[in-house]
Amino acid sequence: MASLREFLNRLEEEGNPEDLCHVTEPVDPADFEVTAVLQHLENAGRYPAVWFDRPKNLWGQPSAFSLVSNLFASRERCALALGLERKDKNLPLSLEYARREERMIPPTVIAPAEAPVKQVIRRGEEADLRIFPIVRHHEMDPAPYVDMTPFMKDPDSGSYNGAFLRMMYKGPRRLGLHMSPRHNWQIARKYEERGMPTPVVVVVGHHPAFYLGCLNVSPFGVDDYHKVGAIMGESVRLVPSETWGEAIMVPADAEIVIEGQILPGERDVEGPFGEFPGTYGPQRVRWVVEVTAITHRRDAIYQDVFVGHRGNWIMGAIPKEGSIYNRIKGVIPTVKGVHLPLSGVGRFHCYISIDKKVDGESKQAAFIAMGECDFIKHVIVVDGDVDPFNEEQVWWSVATRVQADQDVDVIKNVKGNTLDPSQTDDIMTAKMIIDATKPVRRPFAARIRVPDRVMQRIDLAQVGLTGPRSKQTAPASAE
Amino acid sequence: MATIFWVTCPRCGGKFYCHTQDLRHTDWKLLCPFCQHRFHQDESPQIVE
């Protein structure tokens, strides 16, 4: 069965230090020491998954749990997670995600005795969050945060929804929960309107394909356990929760599951928190989760995401790229690629390449992208000769094929994202389309190129290509 | 992003920001993220909005 440890074992066997590193000395996650390691690596241009062997728990003692972070900080690792090859890391990865997202694989219910996540069960006062190496990420975060995926169940349709949400440690059995007005927010609102607590199941540690599956962009009401199974390529194994039994099911192959309930009508201050744009979201008045039970594997691995950094951006980009590509292809069959680059935190910028046949197709493609994903602010449409995964090429295209008075459109007062620090309105944002394609209806300069026939004839391995000559070996001068 | 106001903690002098609609001119005690002090915004030596 797919699990976090199975994926990590694969990386261990491959032995590539750019894919997986261990930190063998003790670190204190609650005192920023985990994120300091990750920041140092990032400063050096390195993005391995990092497995901390000896993190401290919230008592400052050696934790019984090791800790993994940065797992998604490489598109190649995400390709491996979906069973693809490293070379498929760009558009093929996004398209494979989109292909799987069209499907549903129903979950499988197993007996608790078979479920690894039930190896240790802690209920009531024993369900103490301080046993975990919970990470405090950035300077203005007021506390350690659990930043993996709470699952909630829609009381009307019975469908589950999972999403990455920030959860602030507020006490041994208490978490502050931030939600944007999306699917889990809708579910919690329904329970609260009925005066009922909202059951929450936080999945901390699972196969990376499980979490990529949680980021699917399906409509509200589509069951995420089915969608996650489709993305993973295998049925998600479920087992009854400790708190609600079969009424709320939890993933059997998770490392850790935290069960709790959002208390109706109860709020508390939460944040600030270093968020995905690389800026802090402000302190707010948010929901409170009371922890009811914790279950985990005997040697469970605690998982974390370095929010606001590369892994957070890549995992946000992949699910959207494929679905946007498919929607555009329905209208513009010559679309060649879609990319949400790191420079746009995997959400705010969208590069689309099309083999444009008639003028106007660029803007049509941009509208589709913005309609498909409300995160997207800036769309750059380029010709098919430009690789949307090559940012230098994209901006060369803007430099040479754009006249701002003719090719740039700004659309005001569109729903944006509450965490975009540039927004001057609470909800609404401005969007921009840059059409960096060549016009079809008038002559346009051709791009320079070395003739193909000569490029094919010349092989670098055959031309005597060497490094620089030292003075001693340089040819004698004519003097 | 939503409108924010910057607050200075009366105990440690740390500066952080809050969501205006949620917290400005309310009775909620703010939480200083640097020293964990809970305080009413009227106690802040400086609020920038």
Side-chain angles (χ1 to χ4, degrees):
Chain A
M1 292 303 126
S3 65
L4 173 60
R5 60 193 52 217
E6 174 233 316
F7 187 75
L8 291 172
N9 286 342
R10 176 183 176 173
L11 297 181
E12 293 272 34
E13 285 166 12
E14 292 187 1
N16 181 352
E18 296 311 312
D19 267 338
L20 180 63
C21 288
H22 281 270
V23 170
T24 57
E25 293 296 315
V27 290
D28 187 353
D31 192 25
F32 309 104
E33 290 183 358
V34 162
T35 50
V37 169
L38 299 177
Q39 185 68 64
H40 274 301
L41 286 165
E42 181 179 309
N43 293 348
R46 298 185 61 194
Y47 301 95
V50 184
W51 197 344
F52 295 85
D53 297 344
R54 299 163 65 196
K56 294 179 181 175
N57 59 27
L58 291 192
W59 286 294
Q61 301 163 343
S63 172
F65 307 87
S66 61
L67 184 156
V68 163
S69 190
N70 237 24
L71 200 58
F72 301 95
S74 134
R75 287 187 73 108
E76 291 185 359
R77 280 199 297 279
C78 292
L80 295 177
L82 262 57
L84 305 180
E85 296 182 38
R86 291 175 185 274
K87 66 178 176 56
D88 296 326
K89 65 179 182 176
N90 289 336
L91 189 62
L93 169 60
S94 309
L95 295 183
E96 176 62 15
Y97 188 100
R99 188 186 69 77
R100 294 186 192 186
E101 200 185 36
E102 297 293 310
R103 303 164 56 203
M104 303 269 255
I105 296 182
T108 306
V109 175
I110 66 169
E114 298 172 36
V117 79
K118 299 289 189 181
Q119 286 171 353
V120 179
I121 298 170
R122 301 167 188 266
R123 298 187 189 89
E125 296 298 321
E126 287 188 353
D128 190 324
L129 294 166
R130 290 174 291 183
I131 61 174
F132 294 125
I134 307 178
V135 179
R136 196 173 175 190
H137 298 82
H138 296 101
E139 192 170 24
M140 207 190 282
D141 296 355
Y145 270 73
V146 179
D147 64 359
M148 302 306 283
T149 52
F151 274 71
M152 301 182 197
K153 185 179 182 181
D154 181 15
D156 296 327
S157 68
S159 61
Y160 289 87
N161 187 77
F164 281 89
L165 299 175
R166 69 191 206 207
M167 287 158 283
M168 174 181 166
Y169 174 80
K170 281 183 164 287
R173 297 181 58 217
R174 193 174 170 92
L175 292 163
L177 172 68
H178 171 82
M179 291 185 282
S180 294
R182 290 175 176 273
H183 295 178
N184 274 356
W185 179 88
Q186 290 283 2
I187 292 171
R189 186 182 57 79
K190 289 184 183 184
Y191 281 100
E192 189 161 51
E193 282 176 359
R194 297 167 198 189
M196 298 165 59
T198 307
V200 181
V201 168
V202 188
V203 182
V204 185
H206 210 305
H207 192 279
F210 177 94
Y211 289 114
L212 289 170
C214 291
L215 291 158
N216 75 80
V217 289
S218 299
F220 183 72
V222 174
D223 193 301
D224 268 354
Y225 282 142
H226 291 68
K227 280 292 175 195
V228 168
I231 301 299
M232 293 176 76
E234 67 178 52
S235 177
V236 177
R237 301 200 312 166
L238 297 180
V239 65
S241 60
E242 294 305 304
T243 310
W244 308 277
E246 292 180 358
I248 301 289
M249 303 295 283
V250 308
D253 295 298
E255 295 290 325
I256 297 162
V257 164
I258 301 169
E259 299 178 10
Q261 51 189 3
I262 300 174
L263 303 171
E266 187 158 341
R267 300 286 190 274
D268 197 1
V269 295
E270 179 276 332
F273 181 69
E275 271 288 358
F276 76 85
T279 50
Y280 295 99
Q283 189 163 104
R284 299 202 63 167
V285 177
R286 296 324 244 176
W287 294 264
V288 173
V289 176
E290 176 191 71
V291 174
T292 53
I294 292 171
T295 71
H296 59 84
R297 295 175 185 243
R298 271 187 211 95
D299 54 349
I301 306 163
Y302 182 92
Q303 191 172 357
D304 181 78
V305 171
F306 192 19
V307 185
H309 295 261
R310 183 172 285 216
N312 190 201
W313 300 340
I314 288 174
M315 68 199 300
I318 292 167
K320 299 175 183 70
E321 289 168 351
S323 61
I324 292 168
Y325 177 93
N326 283 345
R327 300 297 180 276
I328 294 174
K329 198 168 184 65
V331 180
I332 303 164
T334 56
V335 60
K336 294 190 72 177
V338 172
H339 181 40
L340 303 185
L342 295 171
S343 61
V345 301
R347 291 154 177 84
F348 291 158
H349 296 166
C350 178
Y351 302 157
I352 303 167
S353 76
I354 60 172
D355 269 331
K356 191 172 72 172
K357 300 303 180 195
V358 294
D359 285 328
E361 280 187 327
S362 313
K363 209 171 290 182
Q364 184 71 36
F367 284 145
I368 293 168
M370 291 191 297
E372 180 70 11
C373 174
D374 59 7
F375 281 100
I376 293 173
K377 286 169 63 184
H378 305 139
V379 182
I380 301 178
V381 186
V382 295
D383 287 304
D385 64 333
V386 173
D387 177 2
F389 285 85
N390 183 328
E391 196 148 59
E392 192 173 322
Q393 281 192 30
V394 169
W395 282 95
W396 169 86
S397 196
V398 173
T400 60
R401 296 176 180 176
V402 169
Q403 282 292 292
D405 63 332
Q406 298 163 44
D407 300 318
V408 178
D409 291 280
V410 175
I411 304 149
K412 296 178 182 174
N413 301 329
V414 189
K415 178 177 175 285
N417 185 277
T418 55
L419 289 168
D420 174 2
S422 72
Q423 269 182 217
T424 53
D425 183 271
D426 281 3
I427 300 294
M428 292 190 294
T429 191
K431 309 227 172 188
M432 178 172 66
I433 300 169
I434 300 177
D435 182 358
T437 60
K438 293 179 288 186
V440 171
R441 290 181 294 180
R442 66 178 170 87
F444 197 86
R447 191 173 184 179
I448 56 174
R449 57 186 296 125
V450 176
D452 281 347
R453 62 184 169 76
V454 185
M455 287 297 291
Q456 288 162 10
R457 191 173 75 226
I458 295 298
D459 180 349
L460 286 185
Q462 304 294 326
V463 295
L465 187 69
T466 65
R469 294 193 178 97
S470 67
K471 279 184 180 174
Q472 288 77 14
T473 57
S477 71
E479 294 177 348
Chain B
M1 191 164 69
T3 311
I4 58 172
F5 62 101
W6 279 87
V7 185
T8 301
C9 172
R11 185 162 80 181
C12 74
K15 296 181 194 311
F16 63 99
Y17 53 85
C18 303
H19 191 275
T20 301
Q21 196 176 341
D22 279 6
L23 286 164
R24 189 72 178 117
H25 305 302
T26 69
D27 286 332
W28 281 103
K29 283 196 168 181
L30 307 180
L31 169 66
C32 173
F34 306 108
C35 72
Q36 312 300 315
H37 180 50
R38 295 291 297 250
F39 63 97
H40 192 275
Q41 55 196 273
D42 289 348
E43 300 170 45
S44 173
Q46 188 181 31
I47 291 181
V48 179
E49 57 186 330

